[in-house]
Amino acid sequence: MAADEDSLFLAKAVKHVVDKVGYPPDCPIKLETYVSQNYIGLFVSNEYADYFKKLSMHYVGEVSSKSANVNAQTKSLHMSLAYHFDISAFDSLKSLTGELEFPELSNWEIRLYSRDPRFTNHKVYKVIQGYTPKVCDELELVIGDYVYVEESEFDSSTDGWVRGTSWLTGLSGYLPGIFVQRTADSDAWTLHRAFSLGFRNCMECKSSDSETNTEGEMSNYPHEDAAALAHEKSEETYQEWEKYWREVQNDRSESVLRITQGTSIDWKSTMGQGVGDSENSTESVTSSGTGTEANNRRWFFAMRHGERVDLTYGQWVPFCFDKNDTYIRKDLNMPLHLPERAGGSASYAKDTPLTRVGRLQARLVGEALRLAGVPVTHVYASAALRCVETAHNFLEGLQADPSVKIKVEPGLFEFKHWYMPGGMAPFMTLRELHKAGYNVDLKYIPHVEVDIEVSETLEQWYKRNETVIHSAVRETSADGGNVIFIGHASTLDLMVYALKRFGWKRSEPANYQISKNLLRVPYCALGAMRDNPWQVVSPPCPPSINSSSGRFDWKILLDV
């Protein structure tokens, strides 16, 4: 028995123990047939059984500090082929056993699984036909899901309906028994780590340095053991964000664009008489294919935009545009230049660009996925400028082919109600974005249009995001390839919510809520899911953190 948060430690201990104990004396592992009147099976030969007992003992010692209730496996290791069978079947079963062939060059793995102890006395059934509930106490069935059912349910049922619990959702209810089929309990186990013992050939038995998991497994990556790295710094940052979200979510006394973090900046003391920066930013995009998918399960990513100018500098527009509405950079972290758009500075005040650091953050995520060998071929971005810029710089880091274009989707924009006190600026048009050099898809037709003059309910906000995400899954299924949704802090939660409900026909729940997770979603945070079945997994690249720093005033040197 172990807590969920200890799973990574337990998985890493598998490899550590194998490295410490070493490998069996010879290759391959030998299996010996055992036949009796009521049992037929394969036993691991004694020399190898001793080795595995040693592994078991060392593993118990390794993990005992984390898990109090763990015991070493010291019984004879075996595979059961048949047991508790009728005596009349003995000759046939014995004959079948004699026909078994054991390849000498098998590849053996040590695997660490977990299962939910609440369902110890339940059987596992796979869903073979979907079902939409008709009343509130019925359970929705989705093909690909598994259902836990108590052993006595089918025996005691008078109408074929049984009570079960969904593996995917954890919800319980009644279901038609003919829509599910008994399957192995292990189908509903969670695989945490598979470590090869290297017996694919008998030349040498060497330890593999690969940390790659087997297909279908929920991935663990080397960066996942760094939870304590910069933890205190992160907590300080989250406290700063709390002020912002308290105003936006609860008090709603201010527009989202008028709440800032940190100390105020004395812009007037830095206003010059010159014309500002004149150089143009020319950053090249390298075209190349990168990596291949590890298996046929697609990746679906959700990513928050990078650092935004308004929440870094506060009321920046009055100080950075002259009387002719010409932009003048006043800080190295500000954009070198801003593209032309309808509304000029007034639009930028309500639809902020990224800082230079924000662009770097986005490129780093793209670079990290490229290095991890995880290409992205479908990019959907909220129509907010900061999200389109994030998508553009993400693709630069990914070194994606220019044919991978940004699908600008207004439906991914965040909750409009937060913006109503101060109003919203019109989103930049595709032509404006294209003219500014962003690699947007001019042929893409959004799935949802957003009226910036009208507020919305939480339900409407959830539904439009779900519409976009579900539509993206369907329209990319034929071509395949990984998908990313680049939006806001809420986009990560909304993607998970939407994909877990993909294919469902049930009515929407009535109690929509703004997630408390928004407080802990930093710039360019990346969430990940895999399909078939839908599963929240670790992103294949490390997270990032950057420290906030005060603005240096050169005038302090006058006092030296």
Side-chain angles (χ1 to χ4, degrees):
M1 300 292 289
D4 290 344
E5 57 266 24
D6 293 335
S7 61
L8 181 60
F9 166 80
L10 297 175
K12 286 185 175 294
V14 176
K15 182 178 186 300
H16 187 233
V17 167
V18 171
D19 289 341
K20 182 165 60 175
V21 174
Y23 286 95
D26 298 309
C27 298
I29 296 175
K30 298 177 182 178
L31 297 176
E32 299 174 348
T33 304
Y34 178 86
V35 178
S36 70
Q37 294 296 317
N38 59 6
Y39 176 84
I40 299 176
L42 305 174
F43 279 75
V44 176
S45 59
N46 288 336
E47 56 183 319
Y48 292 96
D50 291 341
Y51 165 74
F52 286 118
K53 289 177 184 178
K54 186 176 180 181
L55 275 183
S56 182
M57 297 294 290
H58 276 76
Y59 187 73
V60 169
E62 187 87 11
V63 304
S64 58
S65 61
K66 287 281 185 179
S67 305
N69 187 12
V70 59
N71 296 305
Q73 170 60 260
T74 57
K75 296 180 180 179
S76 298
L77 300 172
H78 59 275
M79 293 181 183
S80 295
L81 300 179
Y83 61 96
H84 291 170
F85 46 81
D86 191 280
I87 191 63
S88 62
F90 174 75
D91 290 337
S92 297
L93 292 173
K94 182 180 179 180
S95 177
L96 287 172
T97 304
E99 296 174 7
L100 290 177
E101 296 182 1
F102 308 112
E104 291 189 356
L105 302 184
S106 301
N107 184 43
W108 289 80
E109 292 181 335
I110 293 181
R111 293 188 173 193
L112 178 71
Y113 288 92
S114 65
R115 61 182 177 86
D116 194 327
R118 294 175 299 173
F119 301 108
T120 300
N121 297 321
H122 292 62
K123 298 296 183 182
V124 177
Y125 292 80
K126 63 181 179 181
V127 177
I128 58 175
Q129 184 174 334
Y131 176 74
T132 302
K134 303 296 191 299
V135 293
C136 62
D137 64 346
E138 294 178 357
L139 180 67
E140 181 171 16
L141 299 180
V142 179
I143 294 177
D145 192 8
Y146 297 97
V147 180
Y148 297 104
V149 180
E150 286 193 43
E151 298 181 35
S152 60
E153 281 288 325
F154 280 94
D155 295 334
S156 61
S157 175
T158 58
D159 56 4
W161 285 72
V162 296
R163 184 170 180 82
T165 302
S166 166
W167 172 68
L168 280 176
T169 66
L171 299 176
S172 298
Y174 288 95
L175 59 124
I178 60 172
F179 286 9
V180 295
Q181 185 179 76
R182 180 77 171 90
T183 188
D185 292 355
S186 58
D187 285 349
W189 293 356
T190 299
L191 178 59
H192 295 278
R193 174 60 55 89
F195 183 78
S196 175
L197 289 178
F199 299 128
R200 189 172 300 279
N201 60 66
C202 292
M203 298 299 292
E204 292 184 38
C205 293
K206 293 183 177 179
S207 174
S208 170
D209 293 329
S210 173
E211 294 289 340
T212 303
N213 295 324
T214 56
E215 180 173 330
E217 179 183 356
M218 187 172 175
S219 299
N220 291 303
Y221 294 93
H223 59 262
E224 289 187 277
D225 61 353
L229 178 65
H231 175 74
E232 293 182 2
K233 179 61 187 176
S234 293
E235 292 302 312
E236 292 176 7
T237 302
Y238 295 142
Q239 290 175 8
E240 291 294 321
W241 276 111
E242 186 175 5
K243 176 183 66 175
Y244 167 79
W245 284 113
R246 183 172 61 248
E247 292 287 346
V248 171
Q249 292 181 232
N250 301 328
D251 298 342
R252 296 179 182 169
S253 58
E254 299 275 0
S255 163
V256 67
L257 300 177
R258 294 174 60 191
I259 308 298
T260 61
Q261 292 179 259
T263 57
S264 61
I265 298 173
D266 183 7
W267 287 103
K268 295 185 181 298
S269 67
T270 64
M271 291 185 69
Q273 303 300 318
V275 294
D277 298 305
S278 59
E279 65 265 35
N280 293 322
S281 175
T282 56
E283 302 183 12
S284 63
V285 180
T286 303
S287 173
S288 67
T290 55
T292 58
E293 292 188 65
N295 51 54
N296 59 1
R297 295 184 70 191
R298 291 206 289 167
W299 286 96
F300 285 80
F301 297 106
M303 177 179 170
R304 189 190 175 193
H305 58 76
E307 182 182 79
R308 47 193 283 182
V309 168
D310 57 348
L311 294 188
T312 303
Y313 297 102
Q315 295 300 304
W316 63 287
V317 169
F319 305 98
C320 297
F321 286 83
D322 63 17
K323 61 182 179 180
N324 298 318
D325 214 31
T326 301
Y327 169 71
I328 303 170
R329 184 171 74 156
K330 292 299 182 70
D331 189 274
L332 289 178
N333 194 26
M334 284 187 159
L336 281 169
H337 64 277
L338 293 177
E340 295 182 7
R341 66 180 299 179
S345 60
S347 292
Y348 277 114
K350 297 178 179 179
D351 184 24
T352 183
L354 295 180
T355 64
R356 298 298 298 278
V357 167
R359 295 184 178 194
L360 173 63
Q361 290 169 325
R363 281 199 295 274
L364 289 177
V365 177
E367 175 191 75
L369 290 184
R370 172 170 57 85
L371 295 176
V374 181
V376 175
T377 52
H378 307 283
V379 180
Y380 296 81
S382 164
L385 175 59
R386 57 191 180 275
C387 300
V388 176
E389 288 186 331
T390 299
H392 181 81
N393 285 274
F394 166 81
L395 287 174
E396 286 189 344
L398 190 68
Q399 295 183 3
D401 189 274
S403 62
V404 180
K405 298 183 180 296
I406 304 165
K407 298 176 175 64
V408 180
E409 180 55 70
L412 292 175
F413 187 69
E414 60 185 339
F415 192 24
K416 286 194 296 177
H417 184 70
W418 293 335
Y419 290 77
M420 290 301 103
M424 294 173 59
F427 298 126
M428 288 182 68
T429 65
L430 290 180
R431 290 295 174 184
E432 288 175 331
L433 293 168
H434 177 71
K435 185 179 178 181
Y438 301 118
N439 189 24
V440 296
D441 187 348
L442 296 174
K443 297 180 180 180
Y444 179 72
I445 300 176
H447 293 286
V448 176
E449 294 290 352
V450 172
D451 187 345
I452 63 173
E453 302 294 336
V454 180
S455 186
E456 64 185 345
T457 64
L458 278 174
E459 181 177 359
Q460 291 170 331
W461 175 44
Y462 266 77
K463 282 188 174 181
R464 65 173 165 85
N465 276 270
E466 186 173 287
T467 296
V468 172
I469 293 169
H470 285 184
S471 300
V473 175
R474 295 188 186 98
E475 68 188 12
T476 61
S477 61
D479 295 336
N482 301 321
V483 181
I484 189 169
F485 303 100
I486 298 179
H488 309 268
S490 56
T491 302
L492 282 72
D493 274 351
L494 290 170
M495 180 191 74
V496 173
Y497 176 86
L499 292 183
K500 283 187 174 181
R501 296 174 61 80
F502 181 73
W504 292 18
K505 297 179 181 180
R506 62 185 298 173
S507 59
E508 300 285 346
N511 58 337
Y512 293 101
Q513 294 182 355
I514 297 174
S515 172
K516 61 182 180 181
N517 293 336
L518 297 187
L519 286 169
R520 294 181 173 268
V521 181
Y523 292 127
C524 284
L526 188 69
M529 292 187 72
R530 305 297 291 272
D531 64 357
N532 296 322
W534 294 111
Q535 188 177 31
V536 177
V537 297
S538 167
C541 63
S544 65
I545 181 175
N546 61 284
S547 62
S548 58
S549 60
R551 196 162 181 262
F552 177 67
D553 181 2
W554 66 269
K555 293 179 182 178
I556 63 175
L557 298 177
L558 296 174
D559 299 327
V560 176

Short mmCIF file of all heavy atoms in Angstrom, two decimals, residues 59-101:
data_model
loop_
_atom_site.label_atom_id
_atom_site.label_comp_id
_atom_site.label_asym_id
_atom_site.label_seq_id
_atom_site.Cartn_x
_atom_site.Cartn_y
_atom_site.Cartn_z
N TYR A 59 14.12 -4.97 -3.10
CA TYR A 59 13.12 -3.95 -3.42
C TYR A 59 12.33 -3.56 -2.17
O TYR A 59 12.05 -2.37 -1.95
CB TYR A 59 12.16 -4.47 -4.49
CG TYR A 59 11.21 -3.41 -5.00
CD1 TYR A 59 11.66 -2.39 -5.83
CD2 TYR A 59 9.86 -3.43 -4.64
CE1 TYR A 59 10.79 -1.41 -6.29
CE2 TYR A 59 8.99 -2.46 -5.09
CZ TYR A 59 9.46 -1.45 -5.93
OH TYR A 59 8.60 -0.48 -6.36
N VAL A 60 11.99 -4.54 -1.35
CA VAL A 60 11.29 -4.24 -0.09
C VAL A 60 12.13 -3.32 0.77
O VAL A 60 11.64 -2.34 1.36
CB VAL A 60 10.95 -5.54 0.65
CG1 VAL A 60 10.47 -5.23 2.07
CG2 VAL A 60 9.87 -6.30 -0.09
N GLY A 61 13.44 -3.62 0.87
CA GLY A 61 14.31 -2.76 1.66
C GLY A 61 14.41 -1.36 1.09
O GLY A 61 14.48 -0.37 1.83
N GLU A 62 14.36 -1.26 -0.24
CA GLU A 62 14.48 0.04 -0.90
C GLU A 62 13.27 0.93 -0.65
O GLU A 62 13.39 2.13 -0.46
CB GLU A 62 14.65 -0.19 -2.41
CG GLU A 62 14.95 1.05 -3.21
CD GLU A 62 16.43 1.38 -3.29
OE1 GLU A 62 17.25 0.53 -2.90
OE2 GLU A 62 16.74 2.49 -3.72
N VAL A 63 12.08 0.34 -0.66
CA VAL A 63 10.85 1.14 -0.61
C VAL A 63 10.19 1.15 0.76
O VAL A 63 9.16 1.80 0.92
CB VAL A 63 9.84 0.66 -1.67
CG1 VAL A 63 10.46 0.67 -3.05
CG2 VAL A 63 9.32 -0.74 -1.33
N SER A 64 10.73 0.43 1.73
CA SER A 64 10.06 0.32 3.03
C SER A 64 9.90 1.68 3.71
O SER A 64 8.97 1.89 4.49
CB SER A 64 10.84 -0.64 3.94
OG SER A 64 12.17 -0.19 4.12
N SER A 65 10.80 2.62 3.42
CA SER A 65 10.69 3.94 4.04
C SER A 65 9.47 4.70 3.53
O SER A 65 8.93 5.56 4.23
CB SER A 65 11.95 4.76 3.77
OG SER A 65 12.13 4.95 2.38
N LYS A 66 9.03 4.37 2.32
CA LYS A 66 7.88 5.05 1.74
C LYS A 66 6.57 4.29 1.94
O LYS A 66 5.51 4.88 2.05
CB LYS A 66 8.11 5.25 0.24
CG LYS A 66 9.13 6.31 -0.11
CD LYS A 66 8.54 7.71 0.01
CE LYS A 66 9.52 8.77 -0.46
NZ LYS A 66 8.95 10.12 -0.37
N SER A 67 6.67 2.98 1.96
CA SER A 67 5.46 2.15 2.04
C SER A 67 5.59 1.19 3.22
O SER A 67 6.44 0.29 3.21
CB SER A 67 5.27 1.37 0.74
OG SER A 67 5.25 2.25 -0.36
N ALA A 68 4.75 1.37 4.22
CA ALA A 68 4.85 0.54 5.42
C ALA A 68 4.33 -0.87 5.17
O ALA A 68 4.86 -1.84 5.71
CB ALA A 68 4.07 1.20 6.55
N ASN A 69 3.32 -1.01 4.34
CA ASN A 69 2.66 -2.30 4.15
C ASN A 69 3.16 -2.96 2.87
O ASN A 69 2.50 -2.99 1.85
CB ASN A 69 1.15 -2.10 4.09
CG ASN A 69 0.41 -3.42 4.08
OD1 ASN A 69 0.99 -4.47 4.34
ND2 ASN A 69 -0.88 -3.38 3.76
N VAL A 70 4.39 -3.50 2.90
CA VAL A 70 4.94 -4.17 1.73
C VAL A 70 5.72 -5.39 2.19
O VAL A 70 6.45 -5.35 3.17
CB VAL A 70 5.85 -3.21 0.92
CG1 VAL A 70 7.00 -2.69 1.75
CG2 VAL A 70 6.36 -3.89 -0.33
N ASN A 71 5.54 -6.51 1.47
CA ASN A 71 6.20 -7.76 1.84
C ASN A 71 6.92 -8.34 0.64
O ASN A 71 6.49 -8.17 -0.51
CB ASN A 71 5.17 -8.77 2.35
CG ASN A 71 4.48 -8.31 3.62
OD1 ASN A 71 5.14 -8.01 4.61
ND2 ASN A 71 3.15 -8.26 3.59
N ALA A 72 8.01 -9.03 0.91
CA ALA A 72 8.78 -9.65 -0.16
C ALA A 72 8.07 -10.89 -0.68
O ALA A 72 7.46 -11.64 0.09
CB ALA A 72 10.17 -10.01 0.33
N GLN A 73 8.15 -11.12 -1.99
CA GLN A 73 7.59 -12.31 -2.60
C GLN A 73 8.63 -13.42 -2.54
O GLN A 73 9.66 -13.36 -3.20
CB GLN A 73 7.22 -12.02 -4.05
CG GLN A 73 6.84 -13.23 -4.87
CD GLN A 73 5.65 -13.99 -4.31
OE1 GLN A 73 5.82 -15.01 -3.64
NE2 GLN A 73 4.45 -13.49 -4.52
N THR A 74 8.38 -14.43 -1.73
CA THR A 74 9.35 -15.52 -1.56
C THR A 74 8.79 -16.88 -1.98
O THR A 74 9.49 -17.88 -1.91
CB THR A 74 9.82 -15.60 -0.09
OG1 THR A 74 8.68 -15.79 0.76
CG2 THR A 74 10.55 -14.33 0.31
N LYS A 75 7.54 -16.93 -2.41
CA LYS A 75 6.97 -18.19 -2.87
C LYS A 75 7.52 -18.53 -4.26
O LYS A 75 8.07 -17.68 -4.95
CB LYS A 75 5.45 -18.10 -2.91
CG LYS A 75 4.80 -17.89 -1.55
CD LYS A 75 3.28 -17.83 -1.68
CE LYS A 75 2.62 -17.63 -0.32
NZ LYS A 75 1.15 -17.55 -0.42
N SER A 76 7.34 -19.75 -4.66
CA SER A 76 7.81 -20.18 -5.98
C SER A 76 7.11 -19.37 -7.07
O SER A 76 5.87 -19.28 -7.09
CB SER A 76 7.54 -21.67 -6.19
OG SER A 76 8.25 -22.43 -5.23
N LEU A 77 7.89 -18.80 -7.95
CA LEU A 77 7.34 -17.97 -9.01
C LEU A 77 6.85 -18.85 -10.15
O LEU A 77 7.55 -19.76 -10.59
CB LEU A 77 8.40 -17.00 -9.51
CG LEU A 77 8.95 -16.06 -8.42
CD1 LEU A 77 10.12 -15.26 -8.94
CD2 LEU A 77 7.86 -15.13 -7.93
N HIS A 78 5.65 -18.56 -10.64
CA HIS A 78 5.06 -19.44 -11.63
C HIS A 78 4.02 -18.71 -12.49
O HIS A 78 3.56 -17.62 -12.14
CB HIS A 78 4.39 -20.64 -10.96
CG HIS A 78 3.30 -20.22 -10.01
ND1 HIS A 78 3.56 -19.87 -8.71
CD2 HIS A 78 1.95 -20.11 -10.17
CE1 HIS A 78 2.43 -19.54 -8.10
NE2 HIS A 78 1.45 -19.68 -8.96
N MET A 79 3.68 -19.35 -13.59
CA MET A 79 2.55 -18.93 -14.42
C MET A 79 1.52 -20.05 -14.38
O MET A 79 1.84 -21.20 -14.72
CB MET A 79 2.97 -18.73 -15.88
CG MET A 79 3.91 -17.58 -16.15
SD MET A 79 4.24 -17.51 -17.93
CE MET A 79 5.40 -16.17 -17.99
N SER A 80 0.32 -19.73 -13.98
CA SER A 80 -0.74 -20.75 -13.96
C SER A 80 -1.35 -20.86 -15.35
O SER A 80 -1.75 -19.86 -15.94
CB SER A 80 -1.82 -20.37 -12.94
OG SER A 80 -1.30 -20.39 -11.64
N LEU A 81 -1.41 -22.07 -15.86
CA LEU A 81 -2.05 -22.32 -17.16
C LEU A 81 -3.47 -22.82 -17.00
O LEU A 81 -4.36 -22.46 -17.77
CB LEU A 81 -1.23 -23.33 -17.96
CG LEU A 81 0.22 -22.92 -18.28
CD1 LEU A 81 0.92 -24.03 -19.06
CD2 LEU A 81 0.27 -21.62 -19.06
N ALA A 82 -3.68 -23.69 -16.00
CA ALA A 82 -5.02 -24.23 -15.75
C ALA A 82 -5.08 -24.74 -14.32
O ALA A 82 -4.12 -25.32 -13.83
CB ALA A 82 -5.36 -25.34 -16.74
N TYR A 83 -6.21 -24.49 -13.66
CA TYR A 83 -6.36 -25.02 -12.31
C TYR A 83 -7.85 -25.13 -11.98
O TYR A 83 -8.68 -24.50 -12.63
CB TYR A 83 -5.63 -24.15 -11.28
CG TYR A 83 -6.12 -22.72 -11.19
CD1 TYR A 83 -7.05 -22.34 -10.22
CD2 TYR A 83 -5.65 -21.76 -12.07
CE1 TYR A 83 -7.48 -21.04 -10.13
CE2 TYR A 83 -6.09 -20.45 -11.99
CZ TYR A 83 -7.00 -20.08 -11.03
OH TYR A 83 -7.44 -18.78 -10.96
N HIS A 84 -8.17 -25.96 -10.97
CA HIS A 84 -9.55 -26.21 -10.56
C HIS A 84 -10.40 -26.67 -11.74
O HIS A 84 -11.57 -26.32 -11.86
CB HIS A 84 -10.17 -24.95 -9.92
CG HIS A 84 -9.56 -24.60 -8.61
ND1 HIS A 84 -9.83 -23.40 -7.97
CD2 HIS A 84 -8.69 -25.25 -7.80
CE1 HIS A 84 -9.14 -23.35 -6.84
NE2 HIS A 84 -8.45 -24.46 -6.73
N PHE A 85 -9.80 -27.46 -12.64
CA PHE A 85 -10.54 -27.92 -13.81
C PHE A 85 -11.14 -29.29 -13.53
O PHE A 85 -10.72 -30.02 -12.62
CB PHE A 85 -9.62 -27.99 -15.03
CG PHE A 85 -8.29 -28.65 -14.77
CD1 PHE A 85 -8.17 -30.05 -14.76
CD2 PHE A 85 -7.16 -27.88 -14.54
CE1 PHE A 85 -6.95 -30.64 -14.52
CE2 PHE A 85 -5.94 -28.48 -14.31
CZ PHE A 85 -5.82 -29.87 -14.29
N ASP A 86 -12.13 -29.66 -14.31
CA ASP A 86 -12.77 -30.97 -14.19
C ASP A 86 -11.78 -32.05 -14.61
O ASP A 86 -11.04 -31.88 -15.59
CB ASP A 86 -14.02 -31.02 -15.06
CG ASP A 86 -14.87 -32.24 -14.76
OD1 ASP A 86 -14.52 -33.33 -15.27
OD2 ASP A 86 -15.87 -32.10 -14.03
N ILE A 87 -11.76 -33.17 -13.91
CA ILE A 87 -10.80 -34.23 -14.18
C ILE A 87 -10.93 -34.77 -15.61
O ILE A 87 -9.95 -35.25 -16.22
CB ILE A 87 -10.96 -35.38 -13.15
CG1 ILE A 87 -9.79 -36.37 -13.28
CG2 ILE A 87 -12.32 -36.05 -13.34
CD1 ILE A 87 -8.46 -35.79 -12.98
N SER A 88 -12.13 -34.64 -16.17
CA SER A 88 -12.34 -35.14 -17.54
C SER A 88 -11.56 -34.32 -18.57
O SER A 88 -11.33 -34.78 -19.69
CB SER A 88 -13.83 -35.13 -17.88
OG SER A 88 -14.34 -33.80 -17.84
N ALA A 89 -11.15 -33.10 -18.18
CA ALA A 89 -10.41 -32.23 -19.11
C ALA A 89 -8.91 -32.40 -18.98
O ALA A 89 -8.15 -31.80 -19.74
CB ALA A 89 -10.79 -30.76 -18.86
N PHE A 90 -8.46 -33.25 -18.05
CA PHE A 90 -7.03 -33.34 -17.75
C PHE A 90 -6.21 -33.75 -18.98
O PHE A 90 -5.20 -33.11 -19.31
CB PHE A 90 -6.79 -34.33 -16.61
CG PHE A 90 -5.34 -34.58 -16.33
CD1 PHE A 90 -4.56 -33.64 -15.67
CD2 PHE A 90 -4.75 -35.77 -16.75
CE1 PHE A 90 -3.22 -33.87 -15.43
CE2 PHE A 90 -3.40 -36.00 -16.51
CZ PHE A 90 -2.64 -35.05 -15.85
N ASP A 91 -6.62 -34.80 -19.67
CA ASP A 91 -5.83 -35.30 -20.79
C ASP A 91 -5.71 -34.25 -21.90
O ASP A 91 -4.63 -34.07 -22.48
CB ASP A 91 -6.46 -36.58 -21.35
CG ASP A 91 -6.33 -37.76 -20.40
OD1 ASP A 91 -5.41 -37.72 -19.55
OD2 ASP A 91 -7.15 -38.69 -20.49
N SER A 92 -6.81 -33.55 -22.17
CA SER A 92 -6.77 -32.52 -23.22
C SER A 92 -5.86 -31.37 -22.84
O SER A 92 -5.07 -30.88 -23.65
CB SER A 92 -8.18 -32.00 -23.50
OG SER A 92 -9.01 -33.03 -24.00
N LEU A 93 -5.95 -30.93 -21.58
CA LEU A 93 -5.12 -29.83 -21.12
C LEU A 93 -3.64 -30.21 -21.10
O LEU A 93 -2.76 -29.41 -21.47
CB LEU A 93 -5.57 -29.38 -19.73
CG LEU A 93 -6.94 -28.71 -19.66
CD1 LEU A 93 -7.35 -28.48 -18.20
CD2 LEU A 93 -6.93 -27.38 -20.41
N LYS A 94 -3.36 -31.46 -20.69
CA LYS A 94 -1.98 -31.93 -20.67
C LYS A 94 -1.41 -31.96 -22.08
O LYS A 94 -0.24 -31.62 -22.32
CB LYS A 94 -1.92 -33.31 -20.02
CG LYS A 94 -0.51 -33.87 -19.91
CD LYS A 94 -0.51 -35.25 -19.25
CE LYS A 94 0.91 -35.80 -19.16
NZ LYS A 94 0.93 -37.14 -18.53
N SER A 95 -2.24 -32.38 -23.04
CA SER A 95 -1.80 -32.43 -24.43
C SER A 95 -1.49 -31.03 -24.96
O SER A 95 -0.49 -30.82 -25.65
CB SER A 95 -2.87 -33.10 -25.28
OG SER A 95 -2.50 -33.09 -26.65
N LEU A 96 -2.34 -30.08 -24.63
CA LEU A 96 -2.11 -28.69 -25.06
C LEU A 96 -0.82 -28.15 -24.46
O LEU A 96 -0.05 -27.44 -25.12
CB LEU A 96 -3.29 -27.81 -24.65
CG LEU A 96 -4.59 -27.98 -25.42
CD1 LEU A 96 -5.71 -27.17 -24.78
CD2 LEU A 96 -4.40 -27.56 -26.88
N THR A 97 -0.56 -28.50 -23.20
CA THR A 97 0.65 -28.03 -22.54
C THR A 97 1.89 -28.57 -23.23
O THR A 97 2.89 -27.87 -23.39
CB THR A 97 0.66 -28.47 -21.06
OG1 THR A 97 -0.51 -27.98 -20.40
CG2 THR A 97 1.90 -27.95 -20.34
N GLY A 98 1.82 -29.84 -23.69
CA GLY A 98 2.96 -30.43 -24.37
C GLY A 98 3.26 -29.79 -25.71
O GLY A 98 4.37 -29.91 -26.23
N GLU A 99 2.28 -29.10 -26.28
CA GLU A 99 2.48 -28.45 -27.58
C GLU A 99 3.06 -27.03 -27.45
O GLU A 99 3.40 -26.41 -28.46
CB GLU A 99 1.15 -28.38 -28.33
CG GLU A 99 0.58 -29.74 -28.68
CD GLU A 99 -0.79 -29.65 -29.29
OE1 GLU A 99 -1.23 -28.51 -29.57
OE2 GLU A 99 -1.43 -30.69 -29.50
N LEU A 100 3.17 -26.54 -26.21
CA LEU A 100 3.69 -25.18 -26.02
C LEU A 100 5.16 -25.11 -26.40
O LEU A 100 5.94 -26.02 -26.11
CB LEU A 100 3.53 -24.75 -24.56
CG LEU A 100 2.11 -24.50 -24.05
CD1 LEU A 100 2.15 -24.15 -22.57
CD2 LEU A 100 1.46 -23.36 -24.82
N GLU A 101 5.53 -24.04 -27.07
CA GLU A 101 6.92 -23.80 -27.43
C GLU A 101 7.39 -22.53 -26.74
O GLU A 101 6.70 -21.51 -26.76
CB GLU A 101 7.06 -23.67 -28.95
CG GLU A 101 6.72 -24.94 -29.72
CD GLU A 101 6.93 -24.78 -31.21
OE1 GLU A 101 7.37 -23.68 -31.62
OE2 GLU A 101 6.66 -25.74 -31.95
#
